[in-house]
């Protein structure tokens, strides 16, 4: 009895697992069981004593004692095998018995005595079975129990489903939650061999006395192959993303842990396949696998090109983009009549302005998911301007900046602003390009006019010079050299001057040797007839078709004077030629602007201004660092360079580079970067000298200029660290810095936006920081797309103080598919509510509060 006493104290039901939801208990079932027990007692032939007899069910059997559960009341009683009227070994768990309650003489606790097994008694159960089976996976297989009656012990006392008593474990999902249930060998249906990892189906049994649940009638089934879906990754966040599905027009959420592979290899636009599960009443993508590029196709594009008219543009009346992703409308004619078709902001070839009534050509794309048709690859055709009667103007490109420029109008005395996105040809414009355009009022600034729908014309299309029909008579004020005498000197003929009279007012007009009709060149004082030629390119007037009408006569004395004057002129010319030969200078092209630039002198101490018209050749071919020869002109208060001629590389101020790489810090920038400083050259101070503190620092400084830079466009800023080599100028023996390279930290990020000639990247590791870049900074001629991973350098512009990205280089090899860049629409799931972020998360360390890295994880 002592052992029974200990067992009685330890037999306590454990705390119920709150994650397991008990099945609804049936009150009708309980009543039926009590009625059945009453009927069994009435039919019993056993002789009852004068003491009250009760009915019960054997609940637990141990080697010499057991426990039974009262049938008509809540109670659990201990009994010893000696109190069983028949053979105690014939008792089985669940047998119906009749007993008498008594009290233990030592402890006073209630016990069952005079136990009689009722033959053919009904088996009593307190379990409620689920109506339907449940699919699950076996985590641990069941084994033979070591103790007799262990199964009923677990059932009645609600012990935790462990493996110590041979219990197995099965897991299943319901409503997005995972549950674990125990089962024993006797719960396996048909004696099947079930091992860990098998897919099984089973009923869920609930004990209505204590609410414990377990798996019953477990049987192995063939695993059901889940439906596979396909899509394209359209969004990637910190540890989750979204996939645009190919079967329906909507997106589906996924977590990085569901990707079957290295999450670092997953990029925007990748084709994937996946399964779908419901979690928290929402569809989520699981078991995501990457597919070969081009596997997923959303739409079919027709091969026949259609022609139609713009009925509605993407912008509203106020110039703002509409919320509808397919807000544009095009109408085109068919045999069945007019058909209206939508288009979106990515369906146009280019970003130029489209207007209602424009004639366009396009292809029809049909979405495979909902059969929605839209117009794509839309382009404006030239017949639009003829049919609509749109006023078109012409001009020349005179200024080019990062993503915009200015056009000199032929019919207006003004410069017209334009953006590169308005080019119909989509080619990068060049200086002096002849263009045709439309002028409208700037939507952002009503007081300004801008040029849109710009078409680059073939060279020579615009007639630049126009000769007036009127003829004028004038006198040669300054004669010009003939082409024969001018050839071989500087390559450029001098300009002559003609003085003429208009309404009593004397005026002068220049002319060149090309304007002469006759071979002989008129002399000073000769009377000539000419026409006025107007140049609309630079709004200047020159004399053309110059013809001599009368030659100025001279007397003998005048002839003598003229003869002596000729001798004087010849000697003066010789002296001038000798002087010109002596004053020829050499240098390097240091700055190139719109129509002018600066040349760094050979001694690297100063720069000189020059105009492109004074260059002997095509000025557009000039590059920074080119070596040139020129003549200094003192026509105005400022010295300028004329007769500029390009020289072979290595001609001007050759240097001898000293072996060894040095590191230093820029303590003074060049004057071309900081015009306010007096000194022209920049200055680099050695880092080692600065650290040691030796000397006053001047001996450790090296001057540098534009020729010292490896990348002439990458000019170091004040305070930046640089790597360079020391060089000695052979002509002067002075030392200066050469092969200067700024030591900047290479940043990494992703392309966030692309618009015309400009773009923006998001810096990795710096939340929300964006820097802009020009397409000319993209290395290797790569066409960047949204989402591309790039490396770049960040430089702060001195003029504006803004940071820009330089040397942008794409690191990801694969390009984003075009279909993702021109997504049809973004549909939302109407089944659930839309979630709007009201406040972004922020952790105590100032970050967004999430430290999870982009790495795949698997946790069970």
């Amino acid at each position: 009895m002592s052992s029974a006493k200990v067992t009685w104290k330890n037999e306590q039901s454990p705390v119920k697992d709150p994650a397991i939801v008990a099945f609804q208990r049936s009150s009708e079932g309980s009543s039926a069981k009590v009625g059945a027990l009453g009927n069994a007692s009435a039919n019993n032939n056993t002789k009852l004593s004068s003491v009250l007899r009760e009915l019960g069910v054997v609940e637990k059997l141990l080697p010499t004692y057991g426990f039974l559960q009262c049938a008509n009341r809540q109670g659990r009683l201990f009994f010893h095998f000696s109190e069983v009227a028949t053979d105690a070994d014939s008792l089985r768990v669940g047998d119906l018995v009749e007993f008498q309650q008594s009290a233990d003489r030592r402890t006073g606790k209630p016990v069952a005595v005079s136990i009689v097994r009722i033959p053919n008694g009904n088996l009593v159960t307190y379990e409620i079975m689920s109506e339907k089976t449940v699919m699950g996976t076996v985590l641990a297989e069941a084994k033979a129990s070591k103790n007799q009656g262990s199964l009923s012990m677990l059932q009645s006392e609600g012990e935790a489903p462990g493996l110590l008593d041979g219990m197995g474990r099965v897991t299943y999902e319901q409503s997005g939650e995972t549950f674990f249930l125990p089962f024993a060998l006797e719960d396996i249906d048909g004696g099947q061999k079930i091992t860990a990892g098998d897919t099984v189906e089973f009923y869920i049994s609930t004990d209505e006395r204590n609410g414990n649940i377990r798996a019953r009638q477990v049987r192995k089934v063939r695993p059901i192959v889940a439906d596979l879906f396909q899509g394209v990754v359209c969004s990637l966040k910190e540890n989750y993303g979204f996939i645009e599905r190919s079967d329906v027009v909507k997106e589906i959420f996924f977590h990085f842990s569901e990707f079957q592979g290295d999450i670092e290899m997953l990029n925007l636009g990748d084709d994937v396949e996946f399964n779908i599960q419901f979690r928290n009443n929402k569809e989520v993508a699981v078991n995501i696998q990457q597919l070969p590029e081009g596997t997923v196709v959303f739409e079919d594009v027709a091969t026949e090109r259609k022609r139609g008219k713009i009925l509605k543009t993407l912008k509203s009346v106020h110039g703002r983009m509409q919320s509808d992703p397919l807000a544009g409308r095009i109408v085109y004619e068919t045999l069945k009549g007019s058909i209206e078709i939508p288009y979106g902001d990515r369906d146009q070839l280019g970003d130029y302005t489209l207007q209602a009534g424009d004639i366009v050509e396009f292809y029809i794309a049909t979405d495979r998911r909902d059969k929605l048709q839209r117009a794509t690859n839309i382009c404006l055709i030239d017949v639009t301007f003829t049919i609509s009667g749109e006023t078109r103007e012409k001009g020349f490109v005179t200024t080019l900046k990062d993503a915009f420029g200015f056009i000199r109008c032929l019919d207006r005395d003004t410069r017209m602003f334009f953006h590169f996105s308005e080019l119909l040809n989509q080619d990068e414009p060049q200086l002096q390009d002849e263009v045709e355009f439309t002028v409208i009022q700037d939507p952002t600034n009503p007081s300004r006019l801008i040029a849109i729908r710009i078409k680059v014309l073939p060279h020579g299309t615009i007639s630049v010079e126009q000769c007036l029909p009127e003829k004028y008579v004038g006198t040669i004020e300054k004669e010009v050299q003939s082409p024969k005498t001018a050839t071989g000197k500087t390559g450029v003929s001098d300009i002559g001057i003609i003085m003429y009279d208009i309404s009593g007012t004397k005026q002068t007009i220049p002319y060149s040797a090309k304007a002469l009709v006759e071979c002989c060149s008129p002399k000073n004082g000769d009377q000539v007839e000419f026409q006025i030629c107007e140049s609309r390119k630079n709004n200047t007037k020159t004399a053309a078709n110059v013809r001599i009408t009368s030659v100025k006569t001279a007397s003998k004395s005048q002839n003598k004077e003229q003869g002596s004057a000729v001798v004087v002129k010849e000697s003066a010319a010789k002296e001038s030629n000798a002087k010109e030969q002596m004053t020829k200078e050499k240098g390097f092209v240091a700055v190139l602007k719109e129509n002018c630039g600066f040349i760094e002198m050979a001694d690297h101490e100063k720069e000189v201004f020059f105009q492109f018209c004074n260059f002997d050749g095509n000025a557009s071919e000039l590059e920074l660092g080119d070596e040139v020869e020129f003549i200094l002109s003192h026509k105005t208060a400022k010295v300028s360079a004329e007769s500029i001629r390009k020289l072979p590389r290595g001609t001007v101020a050759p240097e001898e580079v000293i072996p060894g790489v040095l590191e230093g810090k820029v303590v003074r920038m060049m004057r071309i970067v900081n015009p306010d400083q007096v000194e022209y050259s920049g200055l680099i101070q050695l880092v080692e000298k600065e650290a040691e503190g030796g000397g006053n620092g001047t001996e450790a400084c090296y001057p540098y200029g534009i020729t010292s830079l490896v990348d002439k466009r990458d000019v170091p800023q004040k305070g930046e660290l640089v790597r360079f080599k020391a060089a000695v100028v052979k002509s002067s023996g002075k030392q200066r810095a050469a092969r200067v390279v700024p030591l900047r930290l290479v940043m990494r990020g992703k392309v966030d936006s692309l618009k015309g000639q400009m773009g923006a990247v998001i810096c990795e590791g710096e939340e929300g920081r964006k820097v802009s870049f020009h397409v000319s900074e993209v290395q290797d001629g790569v066409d960047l797309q949204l989402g591309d991973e790039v490396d770049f350098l960040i430089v702060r512009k001195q003029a504006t103080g803004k940071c820009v990205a330089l040397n942008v280089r794409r690191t990801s090899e694969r390009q984003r598919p075009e279909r993702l860049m021109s997504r049809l629409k973004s549909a939302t799931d109407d089944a659930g509510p839309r979630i709007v972020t009201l406040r972004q998360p922020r952790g105590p360390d100032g970050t967004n509060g999430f430290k999870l890295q982009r790495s795949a994880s698997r946790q069970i």
Side-chain angles (χ1 to χ4, degrees):
M1 294 299 291
S2 61
S3 62
K5 181 179 179 181
V6 174
T7 306
W8 179 273
K9 290 182 178 180
N10 293 336
E11 294 294 332
Q12 298 180 5
S13 299
V15 180
K16 177 183 173 183
D17 187 352
I20 301 179
V21 180
F23 277 71
Q24 184 111 14
R25 299 176 179 80
S26 172
S27 60
E28 297 179 0
S30 267
S31 300
K33 293 169 194 162
V34 173
L37 290 173
N39 294 335
S41 176
N43 297 329
N44 184 7
N45 294 327
T46 306
K47 185 178 180 178
L48 299 176
S49 65
S50 59
V51 182
L52 179 64
R53 304 281 291 178
E54 296 184 53
L55 291 177
V57 180
V58 178
E59 183 184 65
K60 184 175 182 181
L61 292 174
L62 293 173
T64 59
Y65 60 92
F67 293 88
L68 57 83
Q69 183 76 31
C70 299
N72 298 325
R73 63 185 176 89
Q74 291 290 335
R76 185 170 181 266
L77 300 177
F78 168 85
F79 72 91
H80 196 271
F81 282 179
S82 61
E83 295 292 337
V84 181
T86 59
D87 185 9
D89 293 336
S90 63
L91 284 179
R92 295 289 182 267
V93 174
D95 283 350
L96 184 63
V97 295
E98 188 181 51
F99 66 94
Q100 176 185 341
Q101 180 174 330
S102 180
D104 192 313
R105 288 177 296 179
R106 293 191 304 167
T107 63
K109 293 184 178 180
V111 296
V113 297
S114 304
I115 301 169
V116 179
R117 180 175 178 273
I118 300 177
N120 301 323
N122 295 330
L123 183 63
V124 179
T125 178
Y126 295 93
E127 294 185 8
I128 300 176
M129 304 291 288
S130 61
E131 296 181 358
K132 298 181 180 180
T133 59
V134 179
M135 298 291 295
T137 304
V138 176
L139 292 182
E141 59 183 290
K143 299 179 181 180
S145 176
K146 298 180 181 179
N147 299 322
Q148 182 184 3
S150 62
L151 172 61
S152 299
M153 177 178 63
L154 286 174
Q155 175 186 349
S156 61
E157 298 181 9
E159 293 184 7
L163 303 179
L164 297 178
D165 295 304
M167 300 294 287
R169 179 173 290 189
V170 63
T171 179
Y172 71 99
E173 286 191 8
Q174 184 176 356
S175 301
E177 297 185 56
T178 302
F179 299 95
F180 302 90
L181 297 179
F183 70 97
L185 287 176
E186 50 264 38
D187 294 323
I188 300 175
D189 194 7
Q192 295 178 334
K193 176 64 176 176
I194 294 180
T195 59
D198 288 345
T199 301
V200 294
E201 65 176 357
F202 53 90
Y203 289 92
I204 298 178
S205 169
T206 305
D207 192 328
E208 64 177 355
R209 295 170 299 177
N210 50 33
N212 292 339
I213 62 175
R214 63 182 296 156
R216 292 286 196 185
Q217 300 181 25
V218 183
R219 59 178 176 269
K220 186 190 300 186
V221 296
R222 293 183 178 179
I224 299 176
V225 179
D227 294 334
L228 285 176
F229 299 88
Q230 293 183 345
V232 173
V233 178
C234 59
S235 177
L236 288 174
K237 304 298 183 182
E238 290 189 1
N239 54 8
Y240 66 94
F242 291 89
I243 299 172
E244 185 175 1
R245 295 171 57 174
S246 62
D247 56 330
V248 291
V249 185
K250 67 177 182 180
E251 299 173 358
I252 186 170
F253 169 89
F254 75 95
H255 193 270
F256 284 173
S257 61
E258 294 295 342
F259 180 67
Q260 306 296 321
D262 185 4
I263 192 63
E264 297 293 340
M265 300 302 295
L266 189 65
N267 296 306
L268 285 174
D270 285 350
D271 296 345
V272 293
E273 69 177 3
F274 53 91
N275 303 120
I276 294 179
Q277 289 184 1
F278 279 89
R279 295 178 181 173
N280 297 327
N281 296 325
K282 291 287 186 180
E283 287 184 335
V284 296
V286 298
N287 301 326
I288 304 168
Q289 294 184 353
Q290 200 166 3
L291 296 175
E293 185 177 354
T295 303
V296 181
V297 179
F298 289 108
E299 60 189 11
D300 297 316
V301 181
T303 57
E304 181 183 1
R305 194 161 184 81
K306 300 288 187 179
R307 178 173 292 191
K309 180 187 295 185
I310 298 293
L311 189 64
K312 180 183 176 183
T313 63
L314 296 174
K315 294 184 179 180
S316 61
V317 179
H318 303 286
R320 298 178 180 178
M321 297 297 293
Q322 303 184 32
S323 59
D324 185 2
L326 296 176
R329 295 292 184 271
I330 297 176
V331 60
Y332 66 99
E333 299 294 333
T334 64
L335 296 178
K336 297 181 180 180
S338 300
I339 296 180
E340 187 176 317
I341 188 170
Y343 70 93
D345 59 342
R346 293 290 183 179
D347 294 319
Q348 180 181 338
L349 294 177
D351 297 324
Y352 50 83
T353 303
L354 286 178
Q355 297 178 346
D358 286 346
I359 308 300
V360 294
E361 289 186 348
F362 58 93
Y363 292 103
I364 296 178
T366 304
D367 195 322
R368 291 184 176 183
R369 300 170 288 184
D370 56 3
K371 306 304 178 184
L372 176 66
Q373 290 188 334
R374 66 184 180 92
T376 187
N377 296 334
I378 304 169
C379 66
L380 186 66
I381 58 178
D382 293 339
V383 71
T384 296
F385 307 119
T386 305
I387 296 176
S388 63
E390 181 177 323
T391 303
R392 302 283 285 174
E393 298 189 19
K394 296 180 179 179
F396 298 89
V397 177
T398 58
T399 304
L400 291 176
K401 298 294 185 182
D402 288 343
F404 63 92
F406 290 90
I407 299 173
R408 179 183 294 277
C409 304
L410 291 180
D411 301 325
R412 300 172 186 255
D413 188 16
T414 183
R415 295 196 313 167
M416 198 69 62
F417 172 86
F418 75 96
H419 199 278
F420 287 179
S421 61
E422 290 292 341
L423 291 169
L424 300 180
N425 317 64
Q426 294 302 302
D427 295 329
E428 188 172 350
Q430 303 293 331
L431 289 175
Q432 303 303 324
D433 274 351
E434 302 175 14
V435 293
E436 183 182 58
F437 55 92
T438 301
V439 177
I440 65 167
Q441 191 177 46
D442 189 350
T444 60
N445 186 2
S447 62
R448 185 175 71 166
L449 298 177
I450 60 173
I452 63 172
R453 300 147 74 98
I454 303 168
K455 179 182 178 182
V456 179
L457 303 175
H459 183 68
T461 303
I462 300 178
S463 178
V464 179
E465 296 182 351
Q466 179 181 7
C467 289
L468 302 179
E470 295 83 2
K471 293 186 178 181
Y472 298 87
V473 177
T475 304
I476 299 296
E477 185 72 14
K478 177 184 177 183
E479 62 183 81
V480 67
Q481 295 180 352
S482 63
K484 292 183 179 180
T485 58
T487 303
K489 294 191 68 177
T490 62
V492 179
S493 301
D494 292 341
I495 300 299
I497 303 296
I498 299 176
M499 181 177 292
Y500 64 105
D501 185 282
I502 295 182
S503 301
T505 303
K506 291 186 177 181
Q507 297 185 11
T508 59
I509 187 172
Y511 75 99
S512 64
K514 296 181 180 179
L516 300 176
V517 176
E518 301 171 348
C519 296
C520 56
S521 176
K523 305 297 182 182
N524 291 337
D526 289 349
Q527 191 174 9
V528 294
E529 183 185 65
F530 63 94
Q531 292 176 290
I532 296 178
C533 183
E534 295 181 345
S535 175
R536 294 188 292 178
K537 185 174 181 179
N538 48 21
N539 198 22
T540 58
K541 295 181 180 181
T542 58
N545 300 324
V546 179
R547 185 190 305 273
I548 301 175
T549 58
S550 64
V551 180
K552 181 180 179 181
T553 57
S555 59
K556 291 183 179 180
S557 59
Q558 289 176 340
N559 289 337
K560 290 181 181 180
E561 292 177 359
Q562 289 180 359
S564 60
V566 168
V567 174
V568 172
K569 286 183 178 180
E570 289 179 353
S571 60
K574 291 180 180 179
E575 293 178 0
S576 176
N577 291 338
K579 186 178 181 180
E580 288 180 359
Q581 293 294 332
M582 294 176 61
T583 57
K584 281 187 177 181
E585 302 286 348
K586 296 179 181 180
F588 308 89
V589 177
V591 178
L592 290 174
K593 296 186 177 181
E594 299 172 9
N595 298 311
C596 59
F598 286 89
I599 297 174
E600 180 181 313
M601 301 291 286
D603 57 3
H604 307 288
E605 296 295 335
K606 61 181 179 179
E607 78 277 7
V608 61
F609 173 81
F610 76 97
Q611 294 278 359
F612 282 178
C613 60
N614 291 320
F615 177 69
D616 184 10
N618 187 1
S620 62
E621 297 178 356
L622 281 176
E623 297 180 357
L624 294 177
D626 282 349
E627 301 178 11
V628 293
E629 184 184 56
F630 56 93
I631 297 175
L632 293 177
S633 174
H634 301 270
K635 293 182 179 180
T636 60
K638 294 184 178 181
V639 179
S640 61
E642 294 184 354
S643 304
I644 305 166
R645 184 170 61 90
K646 193 172 181 180
L647 297 176
R649 187 172 298 274
T651 305
V652 181
E655 300 174 346
E656 182 179 354
V657 179
I658 301 175
V661 179
L662 305 176
E663 289 189 5
K665 182 174 67 174
V666 176
V667 295
R668 187 180 69 201
M669 297 183 298
M670 296 185 296
R671 190 162 60 194
I672 59 176
V673 180
N674 183 19
D676 297 333
Q677 71 182 27
V678 178
E679 299 84 356
Y680 171 75
S681 61
L683 210 58
I684 299 175
Q685 187 177 38
L686 280 178
V687 175
E688 292 83 1
K689 292 289 184 180
E690 185 180 35
E692 294 173 1
N696 54 11
T698 55
E699 58 185 6
C701 294
Y702 291 81
Y704 73 97
I706 190 66
T707 58
S708 304
L709 305 179
V710 174
D711 186 355
K712 306 298 188 295
R713 300 178 59 183
D714 189 6
V715 181
Q717 307 296 315
K718 186 176 181 179
E720 283 190 334
L721 295 177
V722 294
R723 181 177 289 123
F724 65 98
K725 289 188 176 183
V728 178
V729 182
K730 294 183 178 180
S731 58
S732 62
K734 295 181 180 180
Q735 286 191 354
R736 60 193 309 269
R739 302 179 185 178
V740 179
V741 178
L743 297 178
R744 299 191 180 101
L745 179 63
V746 177
M747 302 291 293
R748 175 164 291 184
K750 287 187 177 181
V751 178
D752 179 66
S753 62
L754 291 170
K755 188 71 173 179
Q757 301 295 311
M758 296 297 296
V761 293
I762 299 179
C763 300
E764 188 178 89
E766 299 185 24
E767 181 181 1
R769 185 184 183 187
K770 295 182 181 179
V771 291
S772 61
F773 66 92
H774 192 266
V775 293
S776 60
E777 293 294 340
V778 180
Q779 304 297 310
D780 304 326
V782 175
D783 292 330
L784 292 179
Q785 295 184 3
L786 297 180
D788 280 349
E789 296 181 357
V790 293
D791 290 340
F792 55 92
L793 303 175
I794 293 183
V795 175
R796 184 180 299 275
K797 287 189 173 181
Q798 292 292 324
T800 61
K802 295 182 178 180
C803 292
V804 296
L806 300 179
N807 299 333
V808 181
R809 188 181 305 275
R810 189 175 70 186
T811 57
S812 54
E813 294 297 330
R814 293 176 299 170
Q815 294 187 359
R816 306 295 180 262
E818 183 64 25
R819 63 175 179 275
L820 187 66
M821 311 326 298
S822 57
R823 292 177 54 196
L824 308 186
K825 46 196 170 296
S826 178
T828 58
D829 187 2
D830 297 333
R834 288 182 60 86
I835 298 176
V836 179
T837 302
L838 299 179
R839 182 180 64 212
Q840 293 293 339
R842 184 166 296 279
D845 56 352
T847 66
N848 58 6
F850 297 98
K851 295 294 186 181
L852 181 63
Q853 300 295 326
R854 278 191 58 182
S855 59
S857 61
R858 291 290 179 271
Q859 295 183 357
I860 298 178

